[in-house]
């Protein structure tokens, strides 16, 4: 039976706070004259989404979408199942899609296509982390916290089989 444990810190709590503060400032400048809707991709984005949106001074509308592609695995299954759809009308609105991590890009591309079918004015990706070495589908990340190596990470909303989301920093998950 495979066991796992928290490994070294990849991004500390302090580094996360600094990234979120910087991203909020960048977003504030971009929001001028827009009618923004922030859509969080559940469940991993919850901590990032909350910390980020609390720092934005402009009035924004918020909603969430939830898809599943990992299950209890460390790799995406490649097929996305819509678990929770958005309820806000995004037609002719500027959508900021908030994601915890962009890995292969396939799941996020499917989410973008689901949102795009509702005819928003624009869709911009806001991601805390990106793993460009794993990318199978190119995704334009407009607002990015940082890039990381090809490691399986948990904490700050990121999970393995629904565990470790509550860890304050982002750690490598080690398997044995």
């Amino acid at each position: 039976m495979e066991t796992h444990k928290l490994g070294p810190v990849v991004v500390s709590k302090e580094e996360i706070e600094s990234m979120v503060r910087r991203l909020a400032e960048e977003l504030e400048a971009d929001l001028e004259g827009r009618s923004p809707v922030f859509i969080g991709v559940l469940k991993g984005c919850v901590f990032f989404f909350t910390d980020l949106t609390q720092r934005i001074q402009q009035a924004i509308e918020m909603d969430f979408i939830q898809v599943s592609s990992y299950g209890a695995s460390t790799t995406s299954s490649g097929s996305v199942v819509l678990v929770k759809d958005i309820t806000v009308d995004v037609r002719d609105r500027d959508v900021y899609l908030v994601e915890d991590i962009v890995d292969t890009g396939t799941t996020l591309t499917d989410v973008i296509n689901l949102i795009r079918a509702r005819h928003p004015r624009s869709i911009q990706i806001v991601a805390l982390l990106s793993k460009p070495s794993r990318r199978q589908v190119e995704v334009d990340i407009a607002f990015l916290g940082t890039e990381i190596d090809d490691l399986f990470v948990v904490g700050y909303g990121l999970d393995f089989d629904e565990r470790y989301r509550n860890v304050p920093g982002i750690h490598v998950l080690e398997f044995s």
Side-chain angles (χ1 to χ4, degrees), residues 64-114:
F64 294 94
I65 190 167
Q66 184 177 4
V67 295
S68 176
S69 68
Y70 278 79
S73 174
T74 59
T75 57
S76 175
S77 67
S79 64
V80 173
V81 176
L82 181 62
V83 177
K84 185 226 175 282
D85 203 352
I86 61 172
T87 57
V88 67
D89 183 7
V90 297
R91 179 177 294 278
D92 299 322
R93 306 278 305 277
D94 297 299
V95 171
Y96 292 82
L97 196 57
V98 181
E99 179 68 288
D100 54 356
I101 187 167
V102 180
D103 192 357
T104 64
T106 55
T107 301
L108 186 56
T109 298
D110 287 343
V111 171
I112 291 167
N113 290 335
L114 286 168

Side-chain angles (χ1 to χ4, degrees), residues 23-24 26-41 45 48-49 52-53 56 58-65 86 90 93-99 108 111-112 115 120-127 142-143:
L23 289 168
E26 291 173 12
L27 283 160
E28 278 283 344
D30 193 66
L31 292 175
E32 188 75 27
R34 296 184 185 258
S35 176
V37 179
F38 278 68
I39 298 176
V41 182
C45 82
F48 175 47
F49 187 90
L52 181 69
T53 56
I56 295 172
Q58 179 174 327
I60 60 173
E61 199 167 342
M62 299 185 288
D63 202 352
F64 294 94
I65 190 167
I86 61 172
V90 297
R93 306 278 305 277
D94 297 299
V95 171
Y96 292 82
L97 196 57
V98 181
E99 179 68 288
L108 186 56
V111 171
I112 291 167
I115 303 295
R121 179 181 306 123
S122 67
I123 301 175
Q124 294 192 76
I125 307 306
V126 182
F143 302 92

Side-chain angles (χ1 to χ4, degrees), residues 9-17 19 168-170:
V9 173
V10 175
V11 185
S12 71
K13 181 180 177 183
E14 294 75 22
E15 289 170 317
I16 292 169
E17 289 170 1
M19 281 189 286
I170 296 172

